[in-house]
Amino acid sequence: MTTAVQTIPSAVVITLPDFQKEIAINAEWLAKRNKAIEQAKAVTEITTQAQYDEAAAAIALVTKLDSSIEKMRLDLTRPFENAKKLIKGKVDEACVPLQEQKERLKKLAGDYYAAEQRRIRVEAAEKELREREAAEEEAARQEMERSQAADLGLDAPAPVEIVEMATPVESAPRSENAKVQMRVSFDLIAEAQVPRSFLTFDPRKANEYIRQNKDDIQKRVEAGEESAIIPGLKFTVRPDISGR
C-alpha cells in the first residue's frame, strides 16, 4: 500500500522597505501658500489691464504651488504605493493556481448544467407533443364512433372527457454548494450592422473635431450657431486662464 505524502510549501515572505514615521509639509511652502492667498484675495475686480496682469500673476503663483505640493505628495506616497503593488503581486501570484482550478471547474460545471437544461427542455417538449397527439387521436376516435352510431341510428356513446395533464418539468441540476446565475454575454462580429440605438456617443471623436476645427467653431459660436455645428451637440467657447 502506497501512502501519498503531501508537501507543504514554504511561506511566502514579503519584505517591505522602511517607511518614514513622520511626514511634514514644510513651513516654507505654507508661508508661500499664505502669501499667494493674500495676493489672490487682493484681486476683487478686473476692469483694467493692470488688474488682469495681477490676476494672471496670482493664478500663476497658485498653479506653481499646487504643482510643487503635488510633487511632494507623490514623493512621500511612492514607497507606500510600491509596497501595496508588491503585496498585491505576491498575493495574486499565490492565488493563480486556485483561480486556474476555479475557472476549469466552473467551465466543466457550466457545460454540464447547460447540457442538462437542454435535455430537460427537449424531453419536456417531446412529452408534451406525445400527450397532445394522443389527446387528438382520442378525440378523433370518439368523433368517428359518434358518426358511425348516427349512421346506424344508434345512440351515440357518451363522450369520454379528455383531461390534459400538465407536463411535469424536471428541475435543473442543484447543489447546496453552488449558486447558479444565467449570464448572457456577446461578441461583436459586425459593428456596421449594430442598430444605432445600441451605439454610444464617443466624446473622444468630438474632442478630436474640436482640435482640428477650433477657430471655425469659435467663429460659428460667436455667430449664434453653437447648436448647428454637429447635430445633437451644443458648443461653448470661453477663455480658460492659466498661469505661466
Side-chain angles (χ1 to χ4, degrees):
M1 179 177 180
T2 303
T3 302
V5 179
Q6 183 177 8
T7 303
I8 300 176
S10 58
V12 176
V13 179
I14 305 172
T15 303
L16 299 178
D18 293 331
F19 297 113
Q20 290 180 246
K21 291 185 170 55
E22 185 176 285
I23 295 174
I25 298 176
N26 61 60
E28 181 184 359
W29 185 89
L30 291 173
K32 291 179 179 179
R33 181 203 63 179
N34 293 341
K35 182 179 178 181
I37 292 172
E38 293 302 318
Q39 184 174 332
K41 285 182 176 179
V43 180
T44 57
E45 63 177 0
I46 300 177
T47 58
T48 66
Q49 179 65 42
Q51 291 171 332
Y52 177 81
D53 291 339
E54 187 179 357
I59 292 172
L61 180 57
V62 169
T63 302
K64 182 178 180 181
L65 289 171
D66 272 347
S67 299
S68 65
I69 196 66
E70 178 63 11
K71 182 180 183 303
M72 185 190 307
R73 183 190 69 81
L74 291 174
D75 290 340
L76 292 173
T77 59
R78 189 171 292 110
F80 299 96
E81 296 298 328
N82 291 340
K84 286 170 57 179
K85 291 178 182 177
L86 176 62
I87 294 170
K88 186 178 186 307
K90 290 295 184 180
V91 171
D92 288 348
E93 182 181 346
C95 289
V96 165
L98 290 175
Q99 295 299 326
E100 289 175 347
Q101 292 305 312
K102 177 182 176 181
E103 293 304 316
R104 184 182 67 83
L105 292 177
K106 284 179 66 175
K107 183 179 185 309
L108 289 175
D111 290 346
Y112 169 75
Y113 189 94
E116 283 296 285
Q117 279 203 323
R118 288 192 296 270
R119 179 188 64 79
I120 291 169
R121 284 196 295 268
V122 169
E123 291 181 357
E126 290 175 346
K127 184 176 181 180
E128 183 180 357
L129 177 61
R130 289 194 301 270
E131 291 175 350
R132 185 167 61 251
E133 289 176 343
E136 291 173 352
E137 289 177 1
E138 177 61 22
R141 185 188 66 77
Q142 292 187 30
E143 178 61 28
M144 183 179 65
E145 288 181 353
R146 285 194 294 273
S147 178
Q148 290 174 345
D151 291 342
L152 297 173
L154 303 174
D155 293 333
V160 179
E161 183 180 1
I162 302 173
V163 179
E164 293 190 15
M165 302 295 294
T167 303
V169 179
E170 182 181 349
S171 298
R174 294 188 180 187
S175 170
E176 63 180 13
N177 294 317
K179 177 181 178 182
V180 180
Q181 291 182 324
M182 302 306 293
R183 300 189 183 278
V184 181
S185 59
F186 67 89
D187 293 310
L188 180 62
I189 57 174
E191 185 174 354
Q193 298 177 15
V194 177
R196 180 177 176 81
S197 58
F198 286 90
L199 300 179
T200 302
F201 170 66
D202 187 353
R204 292 174 299 179
K205 294 181 179 179
N207 287 328
E208 178 62 20
Y209 179 85
I210 291 173
R211 189 184 67 79
Q212 296 180 2
N213 302 276
K214 188 173 182 180
D215 292 341
D216 179 64
I217 292 173
Q218 181 171 350
K219 291 177 182 177
R220 296 187 64 179
V221 169
E222 291 172 352
E225 301 176 9
E226 62 273 10
S227 300
I229 301 171
I230 295 179
L233 299 182
K234 180 180 179 180
F235 285 84
T236 302
V237 178
R238 61 170 291 116
D240 180 16
I241 309 298
S242 59
R244 60 181 179 180

